[in-house]
Amino acid sequence: MSLASLDQLWVYLSGNPLVSLLATLIAFYLATHVNRLLGRSPFAHPVLVAIALLIAFLLFTGIDYATYFEGAQFIHFLLGPATVALAIPLFDHRERVRRLLLPLLIACLSGIITAVSSTLGLALLLGAQKPVLLSLAPRSVTSPIAMGIAEQIGGIPSLAAALVLLTGSVGCALGPWILRRLRIEDPSVKGFTMGLAAHGFGTAHCFASMGAMAGAFAGLAMGLTGMLTAFILPLIVQLFGL
């Protein structure tokens, strides 16, 4: 096959949305192997590595994001059903959730207020500008919710999404170590803590390393944190005068 034929073939494939879908799947497959080779380091989380690989792919091929998303939207659509599916293991532990509902709500509210207030306070001391502050504020909730909140309060959605990924990585790195130091063994407490502090990353980590109960409570924490943050965050932002 001549170079001209290969060039024509690439022009055809690059305009096909299924190429983006294939590239996404290959990137994540390679990312899981990279993560395994690096000892499953949370700083080399498959999601982060896959993002880096996809950015390199788009830059190398010259495919713009809008064209890429035409194919990737099939995976994006599955995010909704995957999130809803977290209710299945939670249903298996519904009696335990019912007994712990009040302490869980108090813990969730305390976590949200602490995370947002400490983030904004430190950022203000370091001289961050208002758009950055408003993008930092929702960093402790899962990406789709954080982007929506950031857009509504005047932040930068793309920056908020990046900060969410960073928060999840740090949470997965430090969370298990802190839980071991505190000698916390209850899987429901471990799971809820990881879901509250590291949202989707923490939930995935719990299902993979801590068991179904920890994963169920992590999913509960992620959902509650996202819902409550949408109501509480604007009030906290107003208290900071932003």
Side-chain angles (χ1 to χ4, degrees):
M1 184 178 290
S2 66
L3 290 176
S5 299
L6 287 173
D7 186 60
Q8 290 175 357
L9 177 63
W10 172 246
V11 169
Y12 167 75
L13 290 175
S14 63
N16 192 321
L18 292 181
V19 171
S20 300
L21 178 62
L22 179 62
T24 305
L25 295 175
I26 292 175
F28 189 76
Y29 175 78
L30 293 175
T32 57
H33 283 277
V34 170
N35 179 257
R36 193 176 296 116
L37 288 172
L38 295 176
R40 300 190 182 279
S41 168
F43 292 105
H45 193 283
V47 174
L48 296 177
V49 177
I51 289 172
L53 291 173
L54 284 171
I55 290 173
F57 170 75
L58 295 179
L59 290 173
F60 179 76
T61 59
I63 298 175
D64 61 82
Y65 180 77
T67 302
Y68 162 76
F69 192 71
E70 287 183 23
Q73 64 181 330
F74 296 112
I75 295 177
H76 184 265
F77 168 78
L78 294 175
L79 180 63
T83 303
V84 173
L86 292 173
I88 296 174
L90 190 60
F91 180 78
D92 294 335
H93 303 287
R94 60 191 181 279
E95 287 302 318
R96 189 175 181 84
V97 172
R98 184 180 59 81
R99 291 196 304 270
L100 296 173
L101 185 58
L102 182 59
L104 291 177
L105 286 173
I106 294 173
C108 192
L109 288 170
S110 301
I112 293 169
I113 294 170
T114 301
V116 176
S117 299
S118 61
T119 298
L120 291 177
L122 287 171
L124 280 169
L125 287 174
L126 294 173
Q129 299 298 312
K130 184 175 179 179
V132 176
L133 288 167
L134 296 176
S135 303
L136 274 166
R139 65 170 181 79
S140 292
V141 298
T142 191
S143 295
I145 299 176
M147 293 175 71
I149 293 174
E151 185 176 11
Q152 290 297 318
I153 64 176
I156 306 169
S158 56
L159 178 58
L163 293 168
V164 166
L165 295 176
L166 182 61
T167 299
S169 298
V170 174
C172 284
L174 297 180
W177 178 80
I178 293 172
L179 291 171
R180 286 194 301 270
R181 296 284 292 180
L182 294 175
R183 299 180 182 178
I184 296 174
E185 300 295 336
D186 189 330
S188 59
V189 175
K190 292 164 67 176
F192 196 84
T193 302
M194 290 296 294
L196 176 59
H199 41 79
F201 278 44
T203 301
H205 179 81
C206 287
F207 274 112
S209 305
M210 299 182 184
M213 180 179 289
F217 275 83
L220 174 63
M222 182 177 69
L224 279 177
T225 302
M227 180 182 68
L228 293 175
T229 299
F231 292 99
I232 296 172
L233 185 57
L235 299 176
I236 299 176
V237 167
Q238 287 182 1
L239 289 175
F240 276 84
L242 299 175

